[in-house]
Amino acid sequence: MKKSIIFSAFISLFLLSSCGVGTYSVSSGVDDKAAISVSATQKKMQVVLVVDGKNYNLEAVYHQDFKKMRDIKKTAANTIYVTPGQHQIKVYNVNDTHSPIVSKTIILSVGDHRVIEL
C-alpha cells in the first residue's frame, strides 16, 4: 500500500510537471522608420532633398503616374528612410540650389510615408 501511494505521488508529480505551458514571445508590426518621397508635375525632374541638413539627390516621381498607380511606396530609388519624429525638409531643383522649391517642417510617425508634392 505504501509503495502504491509513493508510486501514485511520483506519477502525479511527473505528469503535473510535464504539462507546463511555457513562455512564448511573438513580435510583429512595422519597422521603426518613416519614409519621404517627392512627386513632381514634370517627368524625370532631378531634385535635391535636404532632410535635417543632409542632402539626397533623387528623381521625383511623376505626379500623373503616382495618381494613377498609388504605388509610390515601392519606389525605393526615390524614397528616403528616416527616423520617426520632426524633420526640416527642403527641396531644391538640381540646377538651382540657392532657393528651395519647398521648405517646411514635417512630423512623421512610425511607418508613415510622406509624399512631398512639387
Side-chain angles (χ1 to χ4, degrees), residues 51-66:
V51 181
D52 298 329
K54 187 171 181 183
N55 295 355
Y56 300 94
N57 293 321
L58 51 97
E59 182 179 310
V61 176
Y62 183 51
H63 191 66
Q64 295 297 343
D65 291 340
F66 167 63

Side-chain angles (χ1 to χ4, degrees), residues 38-54:
V38 178
S39 166
T41 56
Q42 302 172 14
K43 285 190 176 185
K44 307 238 183 235
M45 182 175 182
Q46 298 292 323
V47 296
V48 176
L49 173 64
V50 181
V51 181
D52 298 329
K54 187 171 181 183

Side-chain angles (χ1 to χ4, degrees), residues 12-20:
S12 299
L13 182 63
F14 176 75
L15 290 176
L16 289 175
S17 67
S18 65
C19 294

